Amino acid sequence: MSTTPLLLHRDDETHGVDQYARAVATAVAKLDSAVTYRSAHGLDSSQLAHVHFTDRLWGSTPERAAERFERLAARGPVSVTLHDVPQPSDGERGFPRRTDCYRRVVEAAAGTVCNSAHEQRLLELALGRRVEVHVVPLPAQPPQPRPADWQPSDEIAVLGFYYPGKGHLEVVEAVATIPASDRPRVVALGCASAGHEQELVDLGRYAAELGVEFTSTGFLSPEDRLARSRAVAVPIIAHQHVSASGSLTDWLSAGRRPLTVDSDYFREMDTIRPKTMLLVRDGQLAEALRGALREPESTWLDETTSTSPSIEEIARAYLSWWAAL
């Protein structure tokens, strides 16, 4: 099997997983000029290929997504990085369908990557067996320093696509406990995931009933996302059912040290990147928010704090793994 892979994308530059596939491919190509980066559509090659997979990117249903991956793998060896691994919070109908989809992908793949040991455990729990997985964490770029003249906006922000369980609701309810005279706005830095547009509108109405101003920026370019991430008073991650979090690495790359609701995944990330987040115990979100609003400087990373692994280190990890397949 060739160890110089074709790195494939799904032609959706607005999807976070496809954006990540492109970022990894660009970094790998800088280290290995033999690497080819192209669309997954119409591939016909016996050369090793690699894709980033989430069922919502690959098909309108989990079944169609699995079928599309299996057709690709039938043409030649395909390794895969899994995203959004199934878990019980997908619901009584969604969980078994997504689990079967990911089972089919793992069985058809030439090798499998997860973005955290936590995600590997979720996968094994869903499939009910041990799975041979290589763990490659999501990367963060070296953080940008806080400007000397920084003046925070009156905003608490959740970063990334909106969907139920992302934590926007919990943040709104925590902010509602702050006295009205001191209450900041809550902003979603990003748009709704496909199919969740009405739920985002409903959340805005619910926030208004609680006396909380809630807005969404809509889709942001990388440049605008970075600028807004650096301007807000308090960055926060309040995922309820996280598998791996690109929002965390985006905050870190912006130089921010987000409030992060405690979970197995974020404890793992805190071990990999010490002092890069403020872990919040269950039930302590409102208190932590009030503390961060009093000292917003605490939500910036110290200039000496490492956010490694970087995208370049991740590219090297992939190249080493492909060489061993």
Side-chain angles (χ1 to χ4, degrees):
M1 186 185 299
S2 171
T3 59
T4 301
L6 294 168
L7 303 185
L8 306 180
H9 61 84
R10 289 293 309 164
D11 295 325
D12 186 349
E13 295 185 17
T14 66
H15 196 290
V17 170
D18 213 37
Q19 290 172 354
Y20 181 53
R22 294 166 188 270
V24 171
T26 299
V28 170
K30 289 180 180 178
L31 299 174
D32 185 346
S33 59
V35 167
T36 302
Y37 182 45
R38 54 171 288 187
S39 170
H41 297 294
L43 176 68
D44 185 10
S45 174
S46 61
Q47 182 180 359
L48 174 67
H50 185 82
V51 303
H52 290 254
F53 181 91
T54 175
D55 55 311
R56 297 173 180 91
L57 176 63
W58 277 71
S60 57
T61 67
E63 294 79 13
R64 290 176 181 173
E67 290 169 6
R68 185 167 287 165
F69 181 87
E70 287 171 333
R71 289 198 302 270
L72 182 66
R75 299 171 184 170
V78 182
S79 59
V80 62
T81 298
L82 299 178
H83 297 265
D84 306 320
V85 172
Q87 49 187 310
S89 59
D90 291 322
E92 292 184 4
R93 185 167 181 268
F95 181 52
R97 294 176 67 199
R98 297 193 70 234
T99 294
D100 185 61
C101 168
Y102 279 65
R103 176 190 57 77
R104 292 167 62 182
V105 169
V106 169
E107 290 177 354
T112 303
V113 168
C114 283
N115 297 294
S116 65
H118 168 71
E119 206 162 29
Q120 180 182 6
R121 289 191 293 271
L122 286 178
L123 181 65
E124 293 181 341
L125 179 65
L127 300 187
R129 62 179 175 85
R130 186 179 182 277
V131 181
E132 187 71 27
V133 164
H134 187 63
V135 174
V136 181
L138 296 175
Q141 290 297 79
Q144 298 189 21
R146 176 168 62 92
D149 59 349
W150 180 67
Q151 294 293 324
S153 65
D154 184 27
E155 294 173 322
I156 289 173
V158 180
L159 178 62
F161 290 95
Y162 167 84
Y163 52 83
K166 184 69 177 284
H168 297 77
L169 171 63
E170 288 74 15
V171 172
V172 165
E173 291 180 337
V175 169
T177 69
I178 298 173
S181 59
D182 300 321
R183 193 174 294 161
R185 294 187 297 274
V186 178
V187 59
L189 299 182
C191 60
S193 290
H196 297 296
E197 294 83 0
Q198 185 57 49
E199 289 159 304
L200 180 59
V201 172
D202 294 342
L203 177 59
R205 292 172 177 162
Y206 176 63
E209 293 173 2
L210 297 180
V212 175
E213 183 180 347
F214 174 79
T215 60
S216 170
T217 62
F219 181 77
L220 294 172
S221 69
E223 296 77 16
D224 288 341
R225 185 171 64 239
L226 177 62
R228 290 297 299 267
S229 298
R230 291 171 59 77
V232 300
V234 180
I236 185 164
I237 304 173
H239 280 79
Q240 301 304 298
H241 310 289
V242 67
S243 59
S245 176
S247 299
L248 172 61
T249 54
D250 283 346
W251 281 126
L252 301 185
S253 298
R256 305 307 298 267
R257 187 185 185 197
L259 300 185
T260 308
V261 174
D262 192 15
S263 71
D264 287 346
Y265 173 73
F266 289 117
R267 284 193 295 274
E268 179 184 345
M269 293 301 102
D270 190 45
T271 300
I272 292 173
R273 297 180 171 108
K275 300 180 180 180
T276 58
M277 63 194 80
L278 297 161
L279 289 175
V280 179
R281 294 180 180 177
D282 187 40
Q284 300 297 311
L285 182 58
E287 180 181 344
L289 281 173
R290 288 192 289 269
L293 286 167
R294 289 191 295 269
E295 298 182 51
E297 294 82 4
S298 67
T299 67
W300 282 87
L301 294 173
D302 186 278
E303 292 183 16
T304 62
T305 301
S306 171
T307 57
S308 178
S310 66
I311 187 68
E312 293 81 9
E313 292 170 299
I314 294 307
R316 293 187 188 280
Y318 270 106
L319 284 169
S320 296
W321 178 65
W322 286 316
L325 284 180

